[in-house]
């Protein structure tokens, strides 16, 4: 077991979360090393020569986690034993930012203060059912105004395109060339435009407009024109090939830590990434991390990497598991308040048109935010008490409907095999829409990640165990959002609409957040507002694990934003790595 | 031995042809040498005549019979056999899906045993309606395993993989689990596996051995991978009718 030379910054895992902070610190002269358990796949070698292969990347999931190294177990019922499960993340340099869809949002102003917003809008009586269900909703320790410049930095330095909906408080009208009128005010327009509309989008938009909703094309972290980032990285325009979600982009158009940030960090000369490096534990003295122990998965050798600052950059499950296995529990708060998606589904076919959903990346979509966050608070207040719910969902119209990805998307009255099934797919596969209904989950006391008592990985480290429930709020929201999605498709002229109006809890719905919640109060959170652990001040956290609450929007832009925010906190000496502080003033 | 004549009808009644052909086994092989050139061409188009890496002939025939019922030959479109699905599955079991080998060995044995119990013949020799009845019963959970299958070496040793162990070989699963996989193997789990693999054989790129002559993509109107779609194509509400192509054509 070799002890390696000490580094200023040791980063565990390289995905969306680790990208900005590692690049910014390397540019600032810090000596940075990244330990990433996945292999170093590149656009030129791995994606340009074999990306358009749905079986390889999607069905067989070449990126998916090797369960013998990073096992996960799952249960909903705390009285049952958890069982091993697959889940979605990407085992590769760049992590899930390599195989993601590229739907890239700023959170709403209210998303950073959900607790306060709900209390103001609805009062304690209306919210009693949430307390009964053990909801634990907290405001973030940061405001939208605090972090707006860092959202802008993501858009201009990593690459996000969109139509603006609200520039400096001026709300744009509903128009194909305008954006989400509900979006939080932005100081600057996007650096380029989002993907164009396709037949599926035009159809969805038609239905939404008929209902008086405010459809817009979603912001997309995919370059739609030859573009040079704030760092000087040159990117090519998307060609709409469709091999997008679950794929690495052959053209480098989809923004990721791999294509947008890693080349900048590597060019500094004081940044090193070690792929195939699986971190086993953090060695610490109780309130100070000293080194990490990791195994080189190629040679089998175990190394000790000492450092001054340690940054968790792995996926939520692994960040939590590593802390717990290393004996860092923050008084039992590490792993608490896990949140991920559990929503309904709505699908439809059209008889009067083909949609050809096989052309168009998944994120080429129109959507509406009329039912997201508290945008529909007045309507919700009119619901009977047993149907009332808080928060909401974005509803959108994804594409990327190739046969291998869509052959199971048949209505319940159609058999799953045989001549009738074959006829159905022949007639309808290219007339299919399946909506995205991005329901916001609520953090509960009983939704958490811990170490599994029965299952270990091949190194003897316990598996991460996830407990996750759906409760009244999710059930009520699912029914409501299902009806809204159905109405949009019917208004658009769908011949047949079907779906599921109940949420299903699972460890495989992506957007796995919470577990290392940030906050102002050390007795209720794991990190302070600068992502610094209260218990061990030289450990910093990146990724969705920091989120106290979710949003009805995809999390990646906020993960990148928090990482830029963290980088400045370290560079500008806002934090003391010997003493974590409460920065409320 | 009329079967060599019927192999000309490629795709139509392939499972029937292959059934009689394979029954002839050595005798039929001897006859190959006296075929006409036309017959050899026809046979070359018969995906089941090419030999397999994992399946023995009887297993291949049974897989073919099942896959053909899942995606049958219809008036205007080839079925799973002509699409090369059996080869796709065979190639996969010889590589990335090695973990499913026992699932197939046991599942095929059981489905034959069920067929014997219900109709007095192995699955591949049943009429299509009888085959459908068995598959329907399995899918509905009404046929769990053969009556005689309880002591068939299947209950103690977990030979059918369960979905949560996807991605793991049995040894690794036990190592991780520290305990035996708890799921009870049944024919429905085999059905779900072979159905999934049949659809993969139809809709995966032809470089993987199935989807021959783009039979799967042709049936559902998917042209295959293209690097570029234009605005006009993307906003069309009509079929695009682009030429079929494979990764190999890019």
């Amino acid at each position: 077991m070799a002890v390696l030379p000490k580094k200023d910054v040791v980063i565990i895992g390289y995905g969306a979360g680790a990208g900005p902070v590692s690049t910014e610190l390397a540019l600032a002269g810090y000596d940075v090393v990244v330990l990433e358990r996945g292999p170093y796949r590149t656009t030129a070698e791995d994606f340009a020569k074999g990306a358009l292969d749905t079986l390889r990347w999607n069905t067989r999931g070449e990126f998916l986690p090797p369960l013998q190294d990073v096992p996960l177990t799952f249960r909903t019922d705390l009285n049952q034993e958890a069982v091993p499960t697959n889940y979605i993340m990407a085992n590769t340099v760049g992590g899930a930012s390599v195989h993601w869809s590229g739907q890239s949002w700023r959170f709403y102003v209210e998303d950073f203060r959900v607790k306060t917003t709900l209390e103001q809008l609805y009062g304690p009586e209306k919210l009693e059912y949430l307390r009964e269900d053990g909801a634990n909703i907290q405001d973030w320790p940061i405001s939208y105004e605090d972090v707006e410049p860092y959202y802008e930095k993501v858009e201009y330095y990593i690459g996000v395109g969109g139509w603006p909906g609200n520039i400096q408080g001026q709300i744009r009208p509903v128009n194909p060339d305008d954006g989400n009128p509900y979006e939080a005010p932005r100081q600057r327009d996007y650096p380029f435009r989002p993907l164009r509309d396709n037949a599926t989008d035009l159809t969805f938009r038609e239905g939404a407009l008929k209902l008086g909703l405010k459809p817009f094309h979603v912001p997309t972290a995919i370059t739609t024109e030859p573009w040079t980032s704030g760092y000087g990285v040159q990117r090519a325009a998307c060609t709409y090939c469709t091999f997008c979600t679950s794929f690495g982009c052959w053209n480098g158009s989809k923004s990721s830590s791999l294509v947008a940030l890693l080349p900048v960090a590597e060019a500094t000369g004081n940044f090193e990434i070690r792929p195939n490096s699986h971190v086993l534990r953090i060695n610490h003295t109780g309130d100070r991390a000293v080194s990490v122990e990791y195994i080189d998965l190629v040679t089998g050798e175990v190394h000790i990497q000492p450092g001054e600052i340690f940054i968790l950059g792995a996926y939520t499950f692994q960040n939590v598991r590593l802390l717990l296995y290393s004996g860092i529990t923050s008084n039992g708060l590490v792993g608490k308040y896990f949140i991920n998606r559990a929503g309904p589904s709505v699908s439809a076919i059209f008889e009067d048109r083909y949609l050809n959903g096989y052309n168009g990346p998944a994120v080429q979509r129109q959507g509406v935010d009329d039912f997201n966050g508290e945008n529909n608070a007045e309507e919700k207040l009119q619901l009977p008490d047993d149907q009332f719910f808080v928060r909401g969902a974005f509803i959108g119209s994804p594409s990327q409907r190739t046969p291998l990805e869509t052959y199971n998307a048949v209505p319940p009255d159609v058999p799953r095999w045989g001549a009738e099934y074959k006829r159905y797919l022949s007639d309808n596969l290219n007339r299919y829409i399946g909506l995205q209904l991005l329901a916001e989950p609520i953090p509960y006391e009983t939704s958490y990640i811990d170490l599994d008592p029965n299952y270990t990985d091949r190194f003897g480290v316990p598996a991460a165990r996830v407990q996750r429930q759906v409760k009244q709020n999710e059930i009520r929201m699912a029914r409501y959002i299902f009806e809204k999605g159905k109405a949009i498709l019917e208004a658009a002229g769908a011949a047949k609409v079907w779906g599921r109006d109940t949420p299903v809890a699972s460890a495989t719905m992506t957007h796995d957040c919470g577990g290392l919640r940030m906050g102002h109060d050390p007795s209720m959170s794991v990190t302070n507002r600068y992502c610094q652990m209260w218990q061990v001040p030289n450990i910093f956290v990146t990724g969705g694990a920091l989120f106290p609450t979710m949003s009805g929007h995809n999390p990646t832009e906020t993960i990148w934003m928090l990482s830029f925010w963290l980088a400045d906190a370290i560079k500008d000496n806002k934090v003391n790595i010997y003493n974590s502080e409460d920065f409320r003033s | 031995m009329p079967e060599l004549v019927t192999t000309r009808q490629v795709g139509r009644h392939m499972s029937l042809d292959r059934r009689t052909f394979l029954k002839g086994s050595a005798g039929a092989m001897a006859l190959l040498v006296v075929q006409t050139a036309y017959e050899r061409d026809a046979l070359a188009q018969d995906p089941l005549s090419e030999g397999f890496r994992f399946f023995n002939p009887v297993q291949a025939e049974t897989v073919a019979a099942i896959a053909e019922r899942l995606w049958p030959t219809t008036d205007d479109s080839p079925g799973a056999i002509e699409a090369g699905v059996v080869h796709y599955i065979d190639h996969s079991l010889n590589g990335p899906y090695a973990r499913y080998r026992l699932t197939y060995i046991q599942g095929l044995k059981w489905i034959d045993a069920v067929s014997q119990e219900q109709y007095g013949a192995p699955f591949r020799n049943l009429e299509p309606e009888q085959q459908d009845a068995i598959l329907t019963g399995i899918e509905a959970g009404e046929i769990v395993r053969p009556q005689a299958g309880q002591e068939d070496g299947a209950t103690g040793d977990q030979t059918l993989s369960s979905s949560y162990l996807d991605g793991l070989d049995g040894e690794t699963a036990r190592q991780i689990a520290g305990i035996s996989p708890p799921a009870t193997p049944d024919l429905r789990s085999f059905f779900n596996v072979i159905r999934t693999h049949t659809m993969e054989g139809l809709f995966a790129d032809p470089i993987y051995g199935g989807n021959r002559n783009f039979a799967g993509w042709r049936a559902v109107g998917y042209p295959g991978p293209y690097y570029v779609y234009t605005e006009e194509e993307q906003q069309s509400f009509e079929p695009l009718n682009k030429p079929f192509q494979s990764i190999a054509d890019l």
Side-chain angles (χ1 to χ4, degrees):
Chain A
M1 197 181 302
V3 179
L4 302 171
K6 187 174 177 179
K7 296 280 187 176
D8 297 336
V9 182
V10 178
I11 301 184
I12 300 155
Y14 190 81
V21 68
S22 58
T23 298
E24 287 288 311
L25 293 182
L27 286 170
Y30 289 78
D31 195 9
V32 178
V33 64
V34 177
L35 306 169
E36 163 56 47
R37 73 164 325 288
Y40 198 156
R41 296 187 184 88
T42 65
T43 303
E45 287 303 312
D46 298 280
F47 308 142
K49 297 175 188 167
L52 277 61
D53 186 342
T54 312
L55 188 79
R56 176 180 174 191
W57 298 104
N58 185 298
T59 312
R60 294 182 178 172
E62 191 166 314
F63 284 128
L64 293 185
L67 297 182
Q68 67 271 29
D69 290 1
V70 281
L72 189 76
T73 67
F74 180 75
R75 61 179 176 170
T76 54
D77 182 345
L78 300 186
N79 298 313
Q80 300 284 319
E81 217 172 79
V83 295
T85 178
N86 287 327
Y87 58 104
I88 299 172
M89 61 89 147
N91 183 56
T92 196
V93 168
S97 79
V98 174
H99 79 161
W100 73 315
S101 305
Q103 195 165 207
S104 198
W105 308 90
R106 298 176 176 204
F107 282 2
Y108 286 146
V109 175
E110 295 76 19
D111 287 338
F112 294 94
R113 47 174 204 229
V114 173
K115 182 174 193 272
T116 305
T117 301
L118 294 182
E119 283 168 357
Q120 283 171 355
L121 279 172
Y122 303 120
E125 212 168 300
K126 276 285 206 192
L127 302 174
E128 181 57 28
Y129 75 99
L130 286 172
R131 265 187 299 279
E132 284 168 9
D133 279 346
N136 187 313
I137 299 168
Q138 300 297 331
D139 290 347
W140 294 47
I142 51 180
S143 69
Y144 175 77
E145 291 71 24
D146 290 333
V147 296
E148 203 269 345
Y150 297 92
Y151 273 132
E152 187 178 299
K153 185 140 190 181
V154 174
E155 290 159 5
Y156 279 79
Y157 281 75
I158 296 177
V160 179
W163 297 107
N166 180 342
I167 296 184
Q168 297 177 8
Q170 194 190 2
I171 295 170
R172 307 293 304 164
V174 178
N175 186 316
D177 294 349
D178 284 298
N180 179 7
Y182 297 103
E183 82 167 341
R186 55 176 54 253
Q187 291 304 305
R188 254 178 114 182
D189 194 352
Y190 286 97
F192 49 88
R193 296 304 170 210
L195 299 173
R196 66 168 85 103
D197 286 331
N198 63 17
T200 300
D201 299 334
L202 295 172
T203 300
F204 178 94
R205 186 177 175 84
E206 188 185 327
L209 286 173
K210 277 188 188 158
L211 296 179
L213 305 177
K214 298 169 178 168
F216 56 92
H217 199 290
V218 303
T220 50
I222 296 176
T223 46
T224 51
E225 58 190 62
W227 182 72
T228 303
S229 79
Y231 287 125
V233 177
Q234 296 186 342
R235 309 266 300 279
C238 174
T239 63
Y240 297 84
C241 78
T242 308
F243 295 81
C244 203
T245 300
S246 80
F247 298 83
C249 180
W250 64 272
N251 199 31
S253 302
K254 184 166 67 175
S255 295
S256 64
S257 291
L258 178 72
V259 302
L261 298 166
L262 190 54
V264 182
E266 289 188 318
T268 62
N270 48 304
F271 172 96
E272 182 194 354
I273 186 156
R274 296 183 197 145
N276 307 304
S277 300
H278 178 86
V279 176
L280 295 165
R281 81 166 74 228
I282 300 170
N283 298 316
H284 62 96
T285 60
D287 60 1
R288 185 148 190 84
V290 178
S291 61
V292 298
E293 192 176 315
Y294 73 95
I295 182 164
D296 182 322
L297 295 170
V298 176
T299 65
E301 289 172 308
V302 176
H303 303 293
I304 304 282
Q305 176 62 61
E308 193 69 18
I309 293 173
F310 295 83
I311 298 177
L312 302 182
Y315 199 61
T316 292
F317 301 132
Q318 305 315 322
N319 287 339
V320 169
R321 182 168 86 121
L322 182 61
L323 286 175
L324 291 177
Y325 182 65
S326 304
I328 301 169
T329 65
S330 297
N331 296 319
L333 285 166
V334 167
K336 296 266 297 183
Y337 312 119
F338 173 71
I339 36 182
N340 72 351
R341 302 292 175 194
S345 70
V346 184
S347 297
I349 49 167
F350 288 74
E351 275 176 3
D352 64 342
R353 67 188 76 189
Y354 283 82
L355 299 165
N356 303 322
Y358 61 79
N359 82 74
V363 74
Q364 187 179 20
R365 69 184 72 170
Q366 283 272 329
V368 294
D369 253 355
D370 299 83
F371 314 110
N372 202 355
E374 302 304 335
N375 294 340
N376 56 341
E378 281 177 28
E379 190 183 335
K380 284 191 284 197
L381 275 167
Q382 287 162 19
L383 293 169
D385 276 353
D386 64 350
Q387 292 175 31
F388 173 78
F389 67 95
V390 299
R391 313 309 291 152
F394 165 78
I395 301 178
S397 61
S399 292
Q400 198 175 324
R401 302 297 187 186
T402 68
L404 257 188
E405 293 161 305
T406 318
Y407 69 80
N408 278 324
V410 299
D413 59 342
V414 173
R416 293 163 69 237
W417 52 276
E420 195 182 335
Y421 171 71
K422 185 181 179 188
R423 194 176 317 115
Y424 176 86
L425 283 191
S426 298
D427 291 346
N428 295 303
L429 191 80
N430 290 339
R431 301 169 178 275
Y432 172 80
I433 286 186
L435 294 186
Q436 178 194 31
L437 307 168
L438 204 59
E440 176 172 341
I442 299 290
Y444 295 109
E445 296 290 345
T446 50
S447 291
Y448 59 96
I449 307 164
D450 62 1
L451 298 180
D452 193 287
N454 301 317
Y455 296 84
T456 66
D457 65 20
R458 65 181 161 127
F459 311 110
V461 178
R465 177 174 69 174
V466 174
Q467 13 279 310
R468 160 88 164 98
Q469 298 86 27
V470 292
K471 302 199 176 189
Q472 292 174 85
N473 200 71
E474 282 82 355
I475 292 166
R476 296 172 186 180
M477 187 200 294
R479 200 172 301 139
Y480 174 95
I481 294 296
F482 170 85
E483 292 299 335
K484 298 298 181 189
K486 187 162 168 269
I488 294 170
L489 293 175
E490 282 168 354
K496 181 168 189 166
V497 183
W498 71 96
R500 173 172 46 73
D501 69 354
T502 50
V504 178
S506 149
T508 59
M509 300 306 280
T510 74
H511 302 176
D512 301 296
C513 294
L516 302 172
R517 182 185 257 198
M518 65 191 324
H520 279 308
D521 183 348
S523 72
M524 297 177 70
S525 56
V526 174
T527 82
N528 65 16
R529 75 195 306 250
Y530 294 118
C531 318
Q532 179 182 31
M533 285 194 78
W534 296 109
Q535 183 188 335
V536 188
N538 67 334
I539 298 181
F540 294 83
V541 178
T542 69
L546 288 163
F547 293 8
T549 54
M550 186 69 101
S551 150
H553 286 144
N554 310 56
T556 301
E557 184 165 336
T558 297
I559 290 171
W560 269 328
M561 175 278 283
L562 286 172
S563 184
F564 277 123
W565 162 260
L566 163 61
D568 268 9
I570 294 173
K571 281 191 309 188
D572 301 345
N573 289 315
K574 289 179 192 157
V575 289
N576 176 350
I577 62 165
Y578 295 93
N579 182 18
S580 50
E581 294 165 58
D582 176 4
F583 292 92
R584 204 167 13 181
S585 55
Chain B
M1 290 269 172
E3 53 273 13
L4 286 180
V5 179
T6 57
T7 51
R8 287 177 187 161
Q9 302 170 325
V10 175
R12 277 297 176 271
H13 305 285
M14 190 63 76
S15 64
L16 190 67
D17 300 339
R18 289 302 306 162
R19 179 192 316 157
T20 49
F21 176 74
L22 283 166
K23 256 195 307 199
S25 63
M29 293 306 288
L31 272 180
L32 282 174
V33 294
V34 295
Q35 281 177 100
T36 64
Y38 176 81
E39 284 166 338
R40 272 198 304 275
D41 288 348
L43 197 60
Q45 289 174 50
D46 173 357
L48 292 189
S49 68
E50 292 165 23
F52 296 94
R53 301 177 196 178
F54 173 71
F55 293 132
N56 68 34
V58 170
Q59 289 171 326
E61 181 101 356
T62 308
V63 169
I66 296 169
E68 184 69 16
R69 293 321 300 156
L70 299 179
W71 191 264
T73 302
T74 46
D75 292 342
D76 52 353
S77 164
I81 294 173
E82 191 177 336
V85 163
V86 188
H87 274 274
Y88 167 79
I89 297 175
D90 184 67
H91 290 197
S92 301
L93 290 174
N94 206 42
Y97 291 168
R99 65 186 183 279
Y100 290 110
R101 287 176 178 186
L102 291 173
T103 304
Y104 275 88
I105 291 170
Q106 189 67 61
L108 294 170
K109 209 157 110 184
W110 278 3
I111 206 166
D112 266 352
V114 165
S115 302
Q116 285 286 358
E117 285 171 4
Q118 298 204 359
Y119 300 107
F123 187 85
R124 62 191 181 281
N125 290 352
L126 300 183
E127 293 303 319
E129 297 73 27
Q130 296 169 324
Q131 293 174 331
D132 283 356
I134 287 177
L135 294 174
T136 303
I138 291 172
E139 188 191 24
E142 288 154 10
I143 300 172
V144 177
R145 62 180 72 107
Q147 305 294 326
Q150 305 296 341
E151 68 287 350
D152 204 18
T155 44
D157 183 25
Q158 303 291 336
T159 47
L160 288 191
S161 79
S162 32
S163 59
Y164 76 85
L165 291 174
D166 272 11
L168 306 180
D169 60 71
E171 198 42 51
T172 310
R174 279 179 193 79
Q175 198 180 345
I176 288 170
I179 57 172
S180 292
T184 305
D186 58 31
L187 272 168
R188 183 153 59 175
S189 57
F190 169 63
F191 174 85
N192 287 333
V193 167
I194 195 170
R195 175 184 177 273
T196 298
H197 292 173
T198 297
M199 298 311 153
E200 288 177 14
L202 289 164
F203 299 133
D205 196 281
I207 62 168
Y208 289 99
N211 193 13
R212 293 194 179 180
N213 195 25
F214 307 110
W217 289 351
R218 208 178 287 275
V220 299
Y222 174 58
Y226 275 76
Y227 278 113
V228 181
Y229 286 100
T230 64
E231 179 162 355
E232 193 188 351
E233 287 172 328
Q234 286 215 295
Q235 297 188 346
S236 168
F237 292 108
E238 299 299 328
L240 298 186
N241 297 321
K242 291 166 84 78
F244 294 98
Q245 64 180 25
S246 151
I247 294 166
D249 302 320
L250 293 174

